[in-house]
Amino acid sequence: MALDQSFVGRSYPPTAPYEVGREKIREFAEAVGDANPAYTDPEAAKALGHPDVIAPPTFVFAITFKAAGVVVQDPQLGLDYSRVVHGDQKFAYARPVRAGDRLTVTSTIEAIKSLAGNDILDIRGEVHDEAGEHVVTAWTKLVARAAEEA
Amino acid sequence: MTAKTAYDDVEVGTELPAQTFPVTRATLVQYAGASGDFNPIHWNEKFAKEVGLPDVIAHGMFTMAEAIRVVTDWVGDPGAVVEYGVRFTKPVVVPNDDKGALIEVVGKVAAKLDDNTVRVDLTATSEGQKVLGMSRAVVRLA
C-alpha cells in the first residue's frame, strides 16, 4: 500500500543529546580498519586544527539512523520495515563530529514516492551541537520493496 | 583543517591512489558492534538466504566508510570532507571463509570548485560488480 503523501514535510521533535566519546570513535575507526591518527590521538587531531579527536565521516550515521527510527516506526506512516533496504546516503558537513560533542538530531520526511510498487522515503536528519550550531546534515533514502504476490 | 594535498597541484582527472579493502565475516561482526547495526543479513547466512540474498552481505555503510578512505588518506585530514554521498547499487557478498570479499576503490578529481574544494568521484567494486553508484565527495584542499 502506498504511503500517505501528507507526511511529506513532517518533522519530528529533536532527540535527546548523544554524547560522542573518544573510545566510541576509536572502536568505530578500528571496526573500519582506519588507522588515521586524527581518530584516536588528540595531539594528532590538534595538529590538524581540531580541538579533540574527530570521528570518521560516516560515524554520525549511527546517530541519525537511530533518530530516523521515529519516522520508520511511526505507526501512522505504516512503513513495512522488514522490506526496507538502504538506497542512498549523503552527508553535508559544517565541521567534523568530534569527541565531547553532545548532538541532537531533528528528522524530517523530505519526500515520499511510489515506484513500481516500491515505497521510497527520503529522510533528512539535521544534527546540531549543544550550542545549537549545525554540525552535519544526513540524507537517507529508504526503499520498501513491493510485497510479493500472494 | 590542514589538508596535505594542495588545490593548485591537482587537475580535473587527477587520480587518487587506489585501495583494496578486505572484508570477512569477522569484520562484519566487529562493524555491527561498533555501529549498532545488528541486522541479521550481515551475520546470519540462514536468515540472509531466507530473505532472498545469495549469502551474508556487508553493511552498505561499511562499504561507504571504506570508500571515503581513498579521499581521507589522500588529504590527510578527514575533517576536510565537506560532502559525501553514495547510492547502494549492489551488495558486497561475504562468503564464510578466511578470505571473505574485497572492495576495490578508485577515485579521481572530477571538478575543481570554489573555496579550494574539489569534487572526487569514487568507484567501488567487488567481484567485478559496481557496489556504489553516484559516489561523490567534496573535499577542501590546502
Side-chain angles (χ1 to χ4, degrees), chain A residues 24 27-28 30-34 36 39 48 50 54 58 61-62 86-93 96, chain B residues 1-2 30-31 33-35 61-62 64-66 69 76-79 81-88:
Chain A
K24 188 64 194 178
E27 182 188 1
F28 186 90
E30 286 177 353
V32 297
D34 194 330
N36 193 313
Y39 302 141
L48 294 170
H50 305 295
I54 63 171
T58 63
F61 180 78
H86 198 173
D88 294 14
Q89 181 61 41
K90 185 181 172 188
F91 302 98
Y93 307 88
Chain B
M1 318 298 152
T2 325
Q30 190 178 357
Y31 184 78
S35 68
M61 289 305 300
F62 176 83
M64 187 175 185
E66 298 307 314
R69 288 174 59 190
D77 180 5
V81 177
V82 178
E83 279 182 33
Y84 178 35
V86 304
R87 172 163 295 166
F88 302 105

Side-chain angles (χ1 to χ4, degrees), chain B residues 53-129:
Chain B
L53 294 166
D55 204 335
V56 162
I57 62 168
H59 303 73
M61 289 305 300
F62 176 83
T63 304
M64 187 175 185
E66 298 307 314
I68 195 64
R69 288 174 59 190
V70 165
V71 176
T72 56
D73 286 351
W74 181 59
V75 295
D77 180 5
V81 177
V82 178
E83 279 182 33
Y84 178 35
V86 304
R87 172 163 295 166
F88 302 105
T89 48
K90 293 267 185 202
V92 174
V93 178
V94 182
N96 188 20
D97 57 29
D98 57 352
K99 290 198 186 71
L102 295 174
I103 301 167
E104 296 171 64
V105 183
V106 298
K108 69 176 175 194
V109 175
K112 293 188 80 173
L113 310 171
D114 294 341
D115 292 335
N116 276 18
T117 61
V118 298
R119 192 184 98 215
V120 174
D121 287 0
L122 296 162
T123 304
T125 55
S126 186
E127 291 286 314
Q129 297 257 36

Side-chain angles (χ1 to χ4, degrees), chain A residues 57-129:
Chain A
T58 63
F59 174 88
V60 76
F61 180 78
I63 305 168
T64 60
F65 191 62
K66 193 174 176 194
V70 296
V71 182
V72 169
Q73 289 153 20
D74 185 337
Q76 291 182 304
L77 180 64
L79 186 71
D80 180 0
Y81 188 63
S82 70
R83 312 201 65 81
V84 165
V85 296
H86 198 173
D88 294 14
Q89 181 61 41
K90 185 181 172 188
F91 302 98
Y93 307 88
R95 65 161 174 86
V97 168
R98 58 184 179 239
D101 273 339
R102 288 170 56 83
L103 303 175
T104 57
V105 186
T106 306
S107 299
T108 300
I109 297 178
E110 274 204 336
I112 294 174
K113 286 181 197 125
S114 190
L115 205 64
N118 297 324
D119 282 322
I120 302 166
L121 183 64
D122 287 300
I123 302 169
R124 183 180 77 244
E126 299 277 0
V127 181
H128 291 89
D129 66 15

